[in-house]
Amino acid sequence: MLTQDKQQRNWKPIINAFEAVLGKNGVVQRREELITYECDGLTGYRQRPAIVVLPRTTEQVAAVVKICNKYSLPFIARGSGTGLSGGALPREDSVLIVTSLMRQILSIDLENQRAVVQPGVINSWVTQAVSGAGFYYAPDPSSQIICSIGGNIAENSGGVHCLKYGVTTNHVLGLKLVLADGEIVDVGGQIPEMPGYDLTGIFVGSEGTLGIATEITLKILKSAESICVLLADFTSVEAAGSAVSDIISAGIIPGGMEMMDNFSINAVEDVVATNCYPRDATAILLIEIDGLEVEVAGNKQRVIEICKQNSARSVTSASDPETRLKLWKGRKAAFAAAGHLSPDYYVQDGVIPRTQLPYVLQEIELLSQQYGYRVANVFHAGDGNLHPLILYDNSISGALERVEELGGEILKLCVRVGGSISGEHGIGADKKCYMPEMFSQTDLETMQWVRQVFNPKGLANPEKIFPTPRTCGEAANAASVKQFEGVERF
């Protein structure tokens, strides 16, 4: 066993040690208060941690982790709790290290286009802090007004603008880390490329299994001279998918290119009421073009022509900030809108080649009919990152298990057409059983060796990312995991 059973452990000296570092207000232990932390955005899985701690500094995080290491306590880092793969799901015997009070922007260097922030800083705060000087932070998940930079680092989050500007890892220059034994180290630096091994790249997207980032050096970008958002509506998903491929083939890389199906369009209009999205459209494309004014003007006309060549019924455009934000408002609110259509929804996060969009969407519709659950499709069309939202009622016995099975079939479909089981939400507790669909046993074993270097006791976010026989009951997955019996698992 990794740790003793919760009932057998004497928690009093542990709590005293935490309070000596954080004060009584920095330690949450009352059962009713722990309910707040029993899950992240993947609400189908719930488990209260034993203790929650609220550090404010790197030194406090290091002290807390050293206590966990001393008592062999598993610990899980958590930011705003908006993750959708169960990456911050606690264990009953675990300590949850919540970084939401670490919310300082420590420094801004406009001349060198970088900012240093603590992990609890909300994503959109970075842009707000530098926008007055004409800069912004590019990665923009739909939850950017509530998700934290620390969580973005853990999951390597993307967003609308990842097509042109890349995901989180492309905007992280350096990290101050607390490793699993409490040691404080620095990786990366103040410049885009550092010699030696890319330890920053290894850490971004590691989902808290290698340690905790306590200071993050981010790259900020100069705002574009001109920005235009186009909305094209289509009578078929195939036509919209063809337009996506043709735009990229023409050498145009939009700042963002998003697609929504009819189900999602109507859900958004019912809830957000943008009055921008045509309710009878089978699919719409939102295309943002940015750059120099002359470049945007030329690309705008070419994109309009390509959309019309692919049977777009109409293409509207907006260049003023207010209308642009209104066009994007519905897309940003799509997940919330789905929550108004159904008591519960389960969102997946697969990636496919752009050319496979029409086929994959047809297959998802067939799976929807087969399993008897409605699926709304909202996705980053430009880079093929799908976000199918499966609507269900968790109060119905067996519904969650059935929906999870449907979600798994969608992920397997993505892999079959040459894609991935995750684009930006991470693996967490939700998708670890599907890792063998994408990686060989040798691949998975190698990844676990890397984890053991940074996390030799397996205390940092155990039971995440990698499949284990205890948590992956499917026969195929159990057979795959069985081949790891010579490898230490955490």
Side-chain angles (χ1 to χ4, degrees), residues 72-326:
S72 295
L73 284 167
F75 61 87
I76 296 98
R78 172 191 164 110
S80 297
T82 60
L84 293 166
S85 63
L89 181 71
R91 282 176 29 156
E92 184 182 21
D93 59 348
S94 69
V95 174
L96 201 63
I97 302 175
V98 178
T99 60
S100 57
L101 296 183
M102 301 179 70
R103 52 193 179 196
Q104 293 184 57
I105 297 178
L106 300 172
S107 67
I108 296 174
D109 182 353
L110 296 178
E111 291 184 350
N112 292 296
Q113 296 186 217
R114 60 193 180 214
V116 181
V117 306
Q118 289 187 306
V121 168
I122 301 303
N123 177 290
S124 62
W125 292 359
V126 181
T127 292
Q128 291 171 14
V130 299
S131 60
F135 292 86
Y136 73 107
Y137 178 61
D140 57 344
S142 294
S143 58
Q144 70 180 131
I145 62 171
I146 52 173
C147 67
S148 63
I149 294 294
N152 294 169
I153 296 294
E155 307 299 339
N156 193 21
S157 301
V160 167
H161 291 95
C162 63
L163 170 62
K164 185 173 183 177
Y165 296 103
V167 292
T168 296
T169 191
N170 302 111
H171 299 269
V172 178
L173 299 173
L175 298 165
K176 185 177 290 294
L177 307 174
V178 173
L179 301 183
D181 61 356
E183 181 183 1
I184 300 172
V185 301
D186 291 287
V187 299
Q190 301 292 314
I191 57 177
E193 296 295 335
M194 296 287 288
Y197 294 116
D198 182 13
L199 298 179
T200 305
I202 289 175
F203 190 88
V204 177
S206 63
E207 304 190 33
T209 62
L210 306 183
I212 302 173
T214 58
E215 292 183 17
I216 304 117
T217 303
L218 300 173
K219 178 170 62 177
I220 54 176
L221 303 180
K222 188 70 175 173
S223 300
E225 179 181 288
S226 178
I227 303 174
C228 175
V229 177
L230 304 174
L231 188 157
D233 71 281
F234 298 84
T235 57
S236 76
V237 171
E238 292 80 5
S242 296
V244 170
S245 295
D246 288 350
I247 289 168
I248 301 296
S249 297
I252 302 170
I253 306 297
M257 186 155 49
E258 304 286 300
M259 187 186 295
M260 297 170 61
D261 66 7
N262 181 264
F263 195 9
S264 302
I265 291 167
N266 281 282
V268 164
E269 287 297 339
D270 286 344
V271 174
V272 183
T274 68
N275 296 316
C276 296
Y277 302 168
R279 287 181 175 270
D280 60 341
T282 302
I284 62 169
L285 285 181
L286 282 166
I287 307 159
E288 182 169 291
I289 305 167
D290 62 357
L292 298 174
E293 189 171 348
V294 64
E295 176 188 14
V296 170
N299 284 340
K300 171 184 172 181
Q301 288 307 123
R302 293 175 67 196
V303 168
I304 290 173
E305 290 169 6
I306 290 170
C307 288
K308 289 185 174 179
Q309 288 167 6
N310 283 280
S311 304
R313 295 189 307 178
S314 65
V315 183
T316 58
S317 67
S319 296
D320 63 286
E322 183 178 347
T323 309
R324 292 199 327 260
L325 288 173
K326 189 176 181 181

Side-chain angles (χ1 to χ4, degrees), residues 61-83:
V61 173
V64 164
V65 171
K66 285 179 180 178
I67 295 168
C68 292
N69 188 56
K70 175 182 177 180
Y71 289 95
S72 295
L73 284 167
F75 61 87
I76 296 98
R78 172 191 164 110
S80 297
T82 60

